[in-house]
Amino acid sequence: MKTLHLQLWTLAIVLLLAGCDSSDDDDTGNYDSTALLTTTADVLIVPAYEDFTGRTQQFNNAVTTAPTAADVDNLRGLLISAWSSWQAVSPWGTEVGVGPGFTAGLTKGQVNVFPTDTAQIEANIASGSFNLEAANALDAKGFPALDYLLNNATSGEVATQLADTSRLNYLKALTQDIATKASAAFTGWTGGYRDEFIANTGNAAGTSLALMLNSWIMDYEDARRFKVGDPIGVRFLGALNPGLVEVRFGKYSRLLALAAFRAHRKIFAGEDPGSPNNYGLHEVLLDLGTPGPNGGLLGDEILAQFDAAIAAVESIPDPLYNAVTNSTPVVQAAYDELQRLIPLLKADLTSTLGVQVSYQDMDGD
Amino acid sequence: MPARVLNWLWAPVGIAPLVTLRVALGAVFFVATLRFWANGWIAQQYLDPAFHFTYFGFGWVAPLPGLGLYVVYASMAAAAFGITVGLLYRASAVVFWLTFTYTELLDVTYYLNHYYLVSLLSFWLIWVPAHRRASLDVRLGWVEAATHVPRWCVGIFRVQVAIVYVYAGLAKLTGDWLFRAQPLRTWLATKTDVWLLGPLFKWKATAYAFSWFGAVYDLFIALALLWRRTRPWAYAAVVVFHVLTWWLFPIGMFPWVMIAATLVFFPAAWHARLWDRFDPGLENKAQVAGHRTGPGRAWVALLLGLYLVWQLLWPWRWVVFPGDFHWHEQGYRFGWRVMLVEKAGYVRFRILDPASGNAGYHEITDLTLAQQKQLAFQPDLILQYAHHLAAYYGERGYPGVHVYAEAAATYNGRPSKALTNPNINLAAEEDGFFRPKPWILPR
């Protein structure tokens, strides 16, 4: 028994030495998780909330009594500005629940459900008493509802509609709702959660890495599905439905889609133009040296696919609402490019970083 | 059956190891059940999901609605407690085995080797008189105290634990484990923040050392536990090894199950020293529990023999499937293959209505993230879900839709690769025992 043990150990050591590829370096490759979380908080999340809070407050403050056609034009511009800004916040507003944005209710389900329910909006305005927190109010509020209120007719006609105080009150309630939640989320991040986020290292369920990755990837899948896939009926056996676009009345869905996918690319790249020292997922993958499915480095392949997807969305003729019917193959091609990122994110990236999707036991030994 | 074998199986040995096993395993089962409940997993894993992946042949097993499942878990906890303290022991063992196995059959998503082990160990607890000493059943006078049990009653647990380790060790003799240090290399590279040991995980050599130590440990720990001179060291290794894995990986109760179960390798005298404090003087009585004569012995021996043959052969069924079974996973489960693969994947289903020629992709909305994760790289689940989708579209006015799966998965640090043939209509493919799945693409 003892000799057998000895022999096996010798064999083991010999095989081990033979088995190690001597051309490889000794490092497994590793990355700086604190730097990644710091970049995520300080470059991606907190500035996104700060920008969004400023724009939603400005928007909310601009809703005043007796708006003129010029005021309506101004409000429309502020809606575009706030809604575009939302696209960088949305990845942290999923049901995965990342920090104060989630607890403040600043989620996609609260501020960006489309298509909006115009009948419910009109009913709420007519009754004058409504509860924006009720479950049936979710598709009668948020940005798509504001799109309906501000963009359903010419600015002059909208100004006339808003002479009705109960309509104006509803508009104000909607802008106030978003601004309040935005402010609460931003205060939560700056008031302590940022440090908590950076300190919560590791890759188990509930760690900052697992939360940010799961939330971001979920939002990316949603963006691909709702902004591009649903109007061309990917989920509905190909039945086209332009009415499902994000900005049904204002017709600038492509602008928001591009803002969203550029925000997603930035989350992966972790970088602001002009601040080259930020440390994002792209660099993490390069540091780990992970190979990608196309023979290159995974980090570079994902970045290249983001660029290809954004270019494909850019090639959709504006407005998306019309392109759905008139240029279906172009929209379909953009969807396909967006889709190609998902296995890279959900299989390769997730596997490399070893994050858990939910808190449960795995197989031990 | 030769009489010598029967006599050997039925020769009396001290009951004490069985008593320790009963108390230790029962306590672990009890804590595990409460932990499962306290984590909210009854609702999260079984009641909330609208769809469950079932085991082949067990498609009829479904979660009880409403409070039913909570009653099951309450019974399970009560039964585990009954096992621990030896109260209504046989009934407790039966209830525990039934309720535990039932819950494990509810959804393949949560399959773990150690849950399977708990089912097997609790099955054998039913048949052995582990309550005949240091139990409430004895204290209450419901059964008589005993000092001895037939040898097989202790032996079956030693054999079972040995099978688990040796097979887990054999399973590690793969190119990936030994010569690429995978998947440990992937996992350890993400653990460099861990207190004390973290810096070590930056070196590849650490992953190789862990892999090789793990394989040698699994292959030889049962032998080392059997041999008197190595036993204390071997048990210390058991504790260190399992606590280490518990610390590094989210593996739940498994370490504690093994730390408890391996106690059975210590000799009767060692265990008796513990239990003699509770009922001193018993050793003079010399009473054998579960003693049998005549055909009863042969029936038990037959059961044991069949069980062992099954346990020894079942993990090898992968040999009938061509290709790397770590990739296609046919014949993978129930083989003590633990921590052998790191996989993540993505699957989407293309739906084609042959009547109209219309096609689209189904977005999964009725599965939890945990279910989706397992679905993405386990072909039998992909097939089950494809059939579910065919039925789903059938109910919505599209009878006879074709369902195609586009799945890609990573495997032990390799880039993602297509797992399924996207041109084969899975709605028309059937699952079956030992039926190969030609629509799985080779690695």
Side-chain angles (χ1 to χ4, degrees), chain A residues 64 77-78 124 208 238 245 256 280 302 313 322:
Chain A
T64 48
L78 292 170
N124 286 352
S208 295
V245 296
L256 296 191
I302 293 179
V313 176
N322 298 344

Side-chain angles (χ1 to χ4, degrees), chain B residues 11-290:
Chain B
V13 298
I15 194 176
L18 212 49
V19 176
T20 310
L21 193 69
R22 186 200 85 212
V23 173
L25 281 182
V28 172
F29 295 168
F30 182 68
V31 172
T33 310
L34 294 188
R35 170 176 174 268
F36 196 91
W37 192 321
N39 281 335
W41 288 344
I42 299 176
Q44 193 186 316
Q45 299 191 2
Y46 296 123
L47 297 175
D48 295 347
F51 177 82
H52 289 287
F53 294 103
T54 54
Y55 290 90
F56 184 79
F58 291 92
W60 47 274
V61 182
L64 288 170
L67 283 176
L69 207 54
Y70 286 95
V71 174
V72 168
Y73 273 90
S75 315
M76 197 191 300
F81 185 74
I83 291 172
T84 315
V85 299
L87 179 65
L88 297 170
Y89 170 76
R90 299 274 188 183
S92 294
V94 171
V95 168
F96 183 84
W97 178 69
L98 279 177
T99 51
F100 188 86
T101 308
Y102 161 72
T103 57
E104 289 326 303
L105 286 173
L106 289 175
D107 198 323
V108 187
T109 306
Y110 316 111
Y111 169 81
L112 294 181
N113 283 284
H114 78 261
Y115 286 152
Y116 172 48
L117 177 63
V118 168
S119 265
L120 298 178
L121 290 175
S122 61
F123 173 77
W124 284 108
L125 283 178
I126 297 172
W127 300 98
V128 299
H131 59 320
R132 296 292 291 274
R133 188 172 179 191
S135 73
L136 286 178
D137 284 344
V138 170
R139 193 62 58 92
L140 293 165
W142 294 344
V143 293
E144 247 189 291
T147 52
H148 292 78
V149 291
R151 179 180 272 131
W152 71 265
C153 295
V154 178
I156 184 62
F157 291 100
R158 289 183 183 166
V159 171
Q160 180 69 69
V161 171
I163 287 174
V164 172
Y165 276 124
V166 172
Y167 272 66
L170 291 174
K172 288 184 173 61
L173 304 180
T174 66
D176 271 11
W177 184 271
L178 297 174
F179 304 117
R180 295 180 63 234
Q182 290 284 16
L184 281 180
R185 202 167 135 186
T186 305
W187 288 336
L188 294 180
T190 65
K191 299 280 179 195
T192 50
D193 294 331
V194 167
W195 175 79
L196 194 64
L197 291 178
L200 290 178
F201 300 154
K202 290 178 177 164
W203 298 317
K204 257 194 311 200
T206 311
Y208 276 100
F210 272 43
S211 294
W212 282 74
F213 174 78
V216 171
Y217 168 87
D218 277 345
L219 283 170
F220 297 105
I221 193 68
L223 270 180
L225 282 165
L226 278 170
W227 193 31
R228 183 176 54 82
R229 289 178 59 184
T230 47
R231 190 179 297 122
W233 301 103
Y235 193 73
V238 168
V239 174
V240 169
F241 180 83
H242 287 296
V243 168
L244 191 64
T245 57
W246 167 77
W247 185 35
L248 288 177
F249 306 112
I251 57 177
M253 297 302 288
F254 180 70
W256 316 113
V257 172
M258 294 317 281
I259 287 169
T262 42
L263 286 170
V264 79
F265 283 93
F266 284 86
W270 184 87
H271 288 281
R273 274 203 295 277
L274 174 65
W275 299 111
D276 283 348
R277 279 187 231 161
F278 289 84
D279 42 13
L282 194 68
E283 62 272 18
N284 302 326
K285 288 185 178 171
Q287 156 119 5
V288 183

Side-chain angles (χ1 to χ4, degrees), chain B residues 367-391:
Chain B
L367 297 180
T368 62
L369 288 176
Q371 289 176 311
Q372 290 185 43
K373 180 182 163 72
Q374 299 298 322
L375 168 69
F377 55 78
Q378 296 190 34
D380 60 334
L381 306 191
I382 290 174
L383 184 60
Q384 265 188 49
Y385 199 70
H387 283 243
H388 165 68
L389 288 182

Side-chain angles (χ1 to χ4, degrees), chain A residues 237, chain B residues 362 388-399:
Chain A
L237 296 175
Chain B
H362 182 83
H388 165 68
L389 288 182
Y392 173 91
Y393 281 88
E395 284 163 18
R396 281 155 185 78
Y398 300 98

